[in-house]
Amino acid sequence: MIDISQQQHLLAQVSRSFALTIPLLPAPLQDYVGNAYLLCRIVDTLEDEPALDCQQKQALLSQFLAALAEQALAADFTAQAKASLSAATPAAEQALMALTPEVLARYRSYPAEVQAVLARCATIMSRGMAGYQQQDCSQGLPDLAALDQYCYFVAGVVGEMLAELFILHCPELAPKRDQLLALAVSFGQGLQMTNILKDMADDRARGVCWLPRELALRQGLDLALEGWGQDQAGCQRLLDELAGLAQGHLQDAMDFTCQLPVTQQGIRQFCLWAIGMAILTLKRVVSQQGEAKITRRQLRGVVLASRLLGRSDTLLRWWLGWLRRGCSVRHRSPQALRDLTSQWDRLMMSTR
């Protein structure tokens, strides 16, 4: 079983942003969330592996879920997964895959209710990604509803997981559970949409596109055409539209954060850093200021503002408005996203 320092080292190797924010959480949340992220990263690594076809990815994802349920299966899964990864997979992710049994052993050391929360997240993510492996995503997703669903599988469910863990840590949040879960899904949606826009060119280069075709056509872009990315005006209109929607979700993220007790500054700071970095990344993407990655100076600004304003909901909302100045916002109801999770839960129950 890996220890907490080894877990943090793995996080630093596979994710710069989460390695920065997870240590802000109080014990034992830092441990639980760190492990959960590594479980999700294992799923991501299999989903991203270019050398695997759809059936191979689905089989490995099913094996991973079996290993999650039974530790004795972890070694066989790890051996097959390691052998399936190509040189295209970063060395850090290959190292993580090799340590899957140790990561799972740490997961099994947690209280049963924590294991249940993490297992639900990993299961929905794995099965959701497996479903998308059956689709041709080279020409985008059909519409915004399909984008919502995809973002739920890869990020919205992580938001739900965080909300459930926060409630376990702060039982006084239990009466707000439904509201927090809805906002948490939207929180994840905003972060994932930011990543999709930031990585749009890289995804296109590897033959994948997560943009909604219906919305692109309304902006004069046909994602089925090979050279659609050369239409700078159309791409800018699409970027503006999707960034506005993403910022609406990040408004929900701030609403989520303001529901958390001011005494829980570690949890609040964890959320605020993510929101601030996402807003600044979106602005760089939309303005096409070269590299989308925010600067160290911008990061320091987010950290300072979060620490100074973290106890005042009024000042936090003002800060969010100041960060996103100059950008339009189209708010998307978190209830619509919550309906997606309800449909998925019913499907999960019907297939057991």
Side-chain angles (χ1 to χ4, degrees):
M1 180 176 75
I2 59 172
D3 61 29
I4 188 70
S5 62
Q6 291 172 312
Q7 184 164 278
Q8 182 59 29
H9 176 73
L10 281 173
L11 282 169
Q13 298 302 306
V14 298
S15 173
R16 173 177 172 264
S17 57
F18 277 96
L20 284 172
T21 57
I22 288 176
L24 298 170
L25 294 168
L29 282 178
Q30 180 183 145
D31 187 7
Y32 302 157
V33 175
N35 188 269
Y37 182 82
L38 293 180
L39 295 177
C40 293
R41 195 68 177 190
I42 291 168
V43 174
D44 282 340
T45 299
L46 295 174
E47 197 265 344
D48 289 340
E49 174 52 62
L52 297 173
D53 61 28
C54 173
Q55 289 73 26
Q56 290 172 318
K57 290 181 180 181
Q58 287 180 318
L60 283 169
L61 288 169
S62 294
Q63 285 183 272
F64 172 68
L65 292 181
L68 189 69
E70 187 175 344
Q71 182 71 27
L73 302 176
D76 286 344
F77 160 76
T78 302
Q80 292 191 45
K82 283 173 56 183
S84 301
L85 298 180
S86 69
T89 295
E93 294 180 9
Q94 299 212 28
L96 170 61
M97 191 67 71
L99 289 170
T100 298
E102 288 81 359
V103 173
L104 289 175
R106 185 156 196 89
Y107 154 80
R108 293 184 192 287
S109 72
Y110 302 148
E113 61 270 24
V114 173
Q115 290 188 45
V117 171
L118 271 58
R120 178 182 182 275
C121 176
T123 300
I124 291 177
M125 180 179 289
S126 297
R127 292 182 179 175
M129 285 187 173
Y132 273 88
Q133 291 301 321
Q134 299 176 2
Q135 304 181 32
D136 178 8
C137 297
S138 62
Q139 298 177 3
L141 300 174
D143 49 31
L144 278 172
L147 176 61
D148 280 351
Q149 185 180 63
Y150 172 74
C151 288
Y152 172 69
F153 288 144
V154 299
V157 69
V158 177
E160 286 183 316
M161 176 199 71
L162 290 171
E164 294 283 19
L165 291 177
F166 294 169
I167 291 169
L168 287 175
H169 184 73
C170 307
E172 65 267 32
L173 290 172
K176 301 179 181 180
R177 183 176 182 274
D178 289 344
Q179 180 184 8
L180 287 171
L181 287 175
L183 292 171
V185 172
S186 198
F187 196 157
Q189 175 89 351
L191 296 181
Q192 184 60 29
M193 287 184 70
T194 299
N195 285 334
I196 287 172
L197 296 180
K198 175 175 67 71
D199 298 332
M200 186 171 66
D202 290 340
D203 286 341
R204 190 166 71 243
R206 64 186 183 93
V208 177
C209 181
W210 304 112
L211 305 178
R213 290 195 298 271
E214 181 185 56
L215 183 59
L217 285 171
R218 292 210 304 265
Q219 305 303 335
L221 288 178
D222 186 348
L223 301 181
L225 300 178
E226 186 175 342
W228 66 265
Q230 298 174 11
D231 182 351
Q232 294 184 357
C235 285
Q236 187 66 57
R237 290 192 297 270
L238 183 60
L239 276 174
D240 290 342
E241 183 79 6
L242 290 172
L245 291 170
Q247 288 191 77
H249 290 303
L250 293 174
Q251 174 64 62
D252 286 340
M254 185 61 79
D255 291 342
F256 173 87
T257 305
C258 290
Q259 295 293 322
L260 303 173
V262 294
T263 55
Q264 294 292 333
Q265 280 301 300
I267 302 176
R268 279 198 166 208
Q269 295 298 310
F270 170 84
C271 297
L272 291 172
W273 287 26
I275 295 168
M277 288 189 287
I279 289 287
L280 292 174
T281 299
L282 273 177
K283 292 184 71 172
R284 291 183 70 87
V285 169
V286 171
S287 63
Q288 301 187 37
Q289 300 173 2
E291 188 179 8
K293 182 174 153 182
I294 67 173
T295 66
R296 289 187 178 183
R297 180 179 179 181
Q298 288 177 311
L299 176 59
R300 286 195 296 268
V302 168
V303 171
L304 180 60
S306 299
R307 288 175 174 168
L308 289 176
L309 310 178
R311 292 183 175 274
S312 171
D313 294 347
T314 300
L315 290 177
L316 286 175
R317 296 181 193 282
W318 170 85
W319 177 56
L320 179 65
W322 181 80
L323 279 179
R324 68 184 186 201
R325 63 198 183 284
C327 293
S328 60
V329 173
R330 283 184 55 191
H331 191 275
R332 211 162 160 73
S333 168
Q335 186 57 49
L337 296 174
R338 186 60 192 160
D339 289 344
L340 282 175
T341 72
S342 299
Q343 293 170 22
W344 178 255
D345 283 341
R346 287 196 294 271
L347 177 61
M348 292 281 285
M349 290 295 292
S350 68
T351 56
R352 286 178 181 172

